[in-house]
Amino acid sequence: MQSVPELSLETHKGDLLSHSIWAGRWSLVFFGFGSCPDYCPLELQKLAGLMRRAGDPEQLQILFVTVDPERDTRDKLAAYVGFFHPHILGVRGPNSELARLASFFGASYERSVIIDKRLLSVPAGIDMPENAGPAYQVNHSNQLFMVNPRGEFVAYFSPPYEPDLLWQDIQNLMAHAR
């Protein structure tokens, strides 16, 4: 098992994301973005249901990592994740750091924009061009990544997610790791 690397990221509350974020509780990490028209809201709704099943935010935490930091400001991210559950943490930071975290987990994303009537693909880790404007597309993978209380990546889940079955799998992982 590999430990999640130290990165220069922050939560939607403005706290720097350090390795201590993982200490003492299990975590699920999901990559997405606040302007997502379909997949992210549906999955965050399911993840909020998992938080309610867990009952105690000290037992299970959920980190929603934006892959669109240009549009997902701290305030926008706070409002977005707060809509689903008050204990979901939004995470943002420089594109280069977000790409490092995504790469560590095996998540992928890219953005595309039309500039001067030409389609431009902007790979993970690269800042959007200043003249891109706010109307661009984001494509991202949809797995959930699980981190144990020691900050080690231990599992991932691929869609589709059935909340009851996912919760059973999570509980099994928690029980067998003690």
Side-chain angles (χ1 to χ4, degrees), residues 28 102 145:
L28 290 175
F145 304 95

Side-chain angles (χ1 to χ4, degrees), residues 65-77:
V65 181
T66 183
V67 295
D68 188 13
E70 287 87 358
R71 290 187 291 194
D72 287 343
T73 64
R74 189 181 334 150
D75 289 341
K76 182 179 177 184
L77 197 53

Side-chain angles (χ1 to χ4, degrees), residues 3-178:
S3 291
V4 178
E6 287 284 345
L7 299 165
S8 295
L9 299 172
E10 68 176 0
T11 71
H12 71 268
K13 298 175 183 180
D15 301 324
L16 291 179
L17 190 72
S18 69
H19 206 4
S20 65
I21 193 82
W22 315 111
R25 69 180 125 190
W26 290 85
S27 303
L28 290 175
V29 179
F30 179 69
F31 292 86
F33 64 110
S35 301
C36 183
D38 48 22
Y39 193 80
C40 293
L42 292 173
E43 295 314 307
L44 281 169
Q45 185 176 3
K46 292 176 187 177
L47 292 172
L50 285 177
M51 292 288 293
R52 287 188 291 278
R53 280 178 178 83
D56 180 4
E58 294 302 315
Q59 180 184 9
L60 179 68
Q61 70 178 347
I62 295 176
L63 285 76
F64 176 78
V65 181
T66 183
V67 295
D68 188 13
E70 287 87 358
R71 290 187 291 194
D72 287 343
T73 64
R74 189 181 334 150
D75 289 341
K76 182 179 177 184
L77 197 53
Y80 186 66
V81 297
F83 175 80
F84 296 98
H85 195 282
H87 293 301
I88 294 176
L89 280 177
V91 175
R92 64 179 312 279
N95 278 302
S96 59
E97 294 291 280
L98 294 168
R100 283 184 54 214
L101 184 62
S103 178
F104 169 79
F105 285 113
S108 61
Y109 67 95
E110 68 173 357
R111 297 166 300 168
S112 57
V113 61
I114 295 176
I115 298 178
D116 298 328
K117 298 181 182 177
R118 287 182 284 181
L119 181 64
L120 174 67
S121 179
V122 180
I126 304 298
D127 293 340
M128 288 298 291
E130 288 186 23
N131 61 340
Y136 53 85
Q137 299 293 315
V138 179
N139 296 312
H140 62 93
S141 56
N142 297 314
Q143 295 91 356
L144 284 173
F145 304 95
M146 191 164 186
V147 177
N148 70 20
R150 292 182 300 280
E152 300 165 332
F153 174 31
V154 295
Y156 71 92
F157 305 95
S158 294
Y161 311 110
E162 292 298 326
D164 290 333
L165 295 175
L166 181 58
W167 180 238
Q168 288 174 8
D169 290 341
I170 289 168
Q171 287 181 306
N172 284 336
L173 283 167
M174 292 173 164
H176 288 98
R178 293 193 171 125

